[in-house]
Structure formats: structure tokens, C-alpha cells
Amino acid sequence: MKITYISHTGFLVETDTVSLLFDYWNGDVPAFSQEKPLYIFSSHRHEDHFNPEIFTLPGRPEDTRYLLSYDILRQKNFYRKCPQAIPYRDAERVYSLRMKESYAIGDLEVWPLKSTDEGVGFLVGIPAEKRLIYHAGDLNWWLWDGEPEEQNKYYTGSFKKEVSNLAELVKEHCYRS
């Protein structure tokens, strides 16, 4: 497996069977293999995690799939504001993922997890490789100097709860030989 950092929370993960692009919003994206399916993930609608250019990146395999947090597609007039996504919606290759759901999409199993900001993080299973990969999106233990104690306690509790949920999912879906 090869993991390439792009920018901010953007990564390209290349395994033996698939390529996964997480939270691309700027920077140079490495070339994709045309021999493997490409899955592009966006964890939420903030511009530092989602860029409509994902629908026009050069060198994408023809069967690229887009796995987007639910908050991206529910934006008012999303397809009018992002017309480059329309051909992929019509080809049923754009997915709106909600937390606490599970999805079988192409070669992947995907479990979106809650973020402590907006959107989701992704636990991605690749059954053919018996592999799990996690991308947190904006899951973070947010502690801000000067913020009310109650707010920092809330973020501490939220972060710990989501890490616990992740640990349970990993145990439940761990691929065993």
C-alpha cells in the first residue's frame, strides 16, 4: 500500500486493487492507475475538504465513483452550482453517505462515522485485500483556549465517543484469514 499526502487532510491511498482519494481540495494529485477503480471521498462541504474539481481531475479512470458526505449533496441547488457532477449522478456514480449507515459500493465496504465538526469520517473496508483504512475527515479533539469549559467538555466527550465507535466497528469488521 502506498499513501501520498497531498495537502491539509487530502491523501491518495493506493492498494493492490483500488485507489482512494480523500478530501482533495488543492495541490498536485499524483497520477491514478487506469488499471484500478478510483474512489474519491469528501468528508464534508467545507472548501478545505471538498472541491468540485474532483469531477474533472485529469487522468481519472472512466468508472470513478464519488463518495460524498450527506451534507455536500444536500446543499441547496448542488447540481446547479456543480454541473460537472451531473454526468456522474446520472450514471449512478455519486453517493451521499450518512453516518450510522453501511454501504457496499463497488469493491468497497464503507462505514461513515460522525465528525466533531461537520460531515463524516470514513472507515473503508477492502474485502479482497482483507484491509481496513480510516480517514477521519474533521474528527478532532477540539479544545480552544478561552472557550467556555462546557464547550470544551462537549468536544472532549464527542471525540472520545467517536473513537470508541470506531474501535467497535474495527473489531466488528476486522477481516480475519
Side-chain angles (χ1 to χ4, degrees):
M1 179 166 59
K2 179 180 177 186
I3 300 172
T4 305
Y5 173 70
I6 299 169
S7 173
H8 193 49
T9 61
F11 292 87
L12 177 64
V13 177
E14 299 170 279
T15 74
D16 292 339
T17 61
V18 298
S19 296
L20 312 171
L21 179 62
F22 291 99
D23 276 4
Y24 172 76
W25 76 287
N26 75 353
D28 295 327
V29 178
F32 305 114
S33 168
Q34 295 294 313
E35 308 304 314
K36 300 185 253 188
L38 172 64
Y39 298 87
I40 298 179
F41 294 82
S42 293
S43 65
H44 64 285
R45 64 185 174 88
H46 291 163
E47 67 182 20
D48 60 340
H49 294 265
F50 170 73
N51 184 334
E53 288 180 19
I54 62 174
F55 296 103
T56 58
L57 288 175
R60 290 165 295 129
E62 192 172 309
D63 63 346
T64 298
R65 292 186 176 108
Y66 302 88
L67 291 74
L68 311 178
S69 172
Y70 66 93
D71 65 312
I72 295 171
L73 290 176
R74 81 167 188 213
Q75 292 178 78
K76 187 176 180 179
N77 301 315
F78 173 78
Y79 285 104
R80 191 173 52 144
K81 293 176 185 173
C82 188
Q84 58 271 51
I86 292 171
Y88 304 102
R89 174 194 65 183
D90 294 344
E92 298 181 355
R93 288 192 277 141
V94 177
Y95 299 87
S96 180
L97 305 185
R98 298 183 107 13
M99 55 200 132
K100 299 184 182 176
E101 301 283 332
S102 62
Y103 300 87
I105 299 172
D107 302 308
L108 306 181
E109 296 174 331
V110 182
W111 300 273
L113 292 147
K114 190 175 185 316
S115 171
T116 49
D117 185 17
E118 287 197 30
V120 299
F122 303 101
L123 179 62
V124 179
I126 308 171
E129 298 182 37
K130 297 184 178 181
R131 187 182 303 268
L132 289 174
I133 296 168
Y134 178 63
H135 184 273
D138 254 356
L139 177 66
N140 194 359
W141 191 334
W142 304 104
L143 293 177
W144 303 101
D145 289 335
E147 289 297 322
E149 179 82 14
E150 282 304 307
Q151 183 172 338
N152 284 334
K153 281 183 183 179
Y154 168 79
Y155 283 119
T156 295
S158 294
F159 176 82
K160 289 179 177 180
K161 180 180 178 186
E162 290 316 308
V163 169
S164 177
N165 289 343
L166 173 62
E168 289 301 312
L169 267 175
V170 168
K171 274 197 289 189
E172 183 180 337
H173 299 288
C174 183
Y175 298 109
R176 293 174 173 76
S177 299

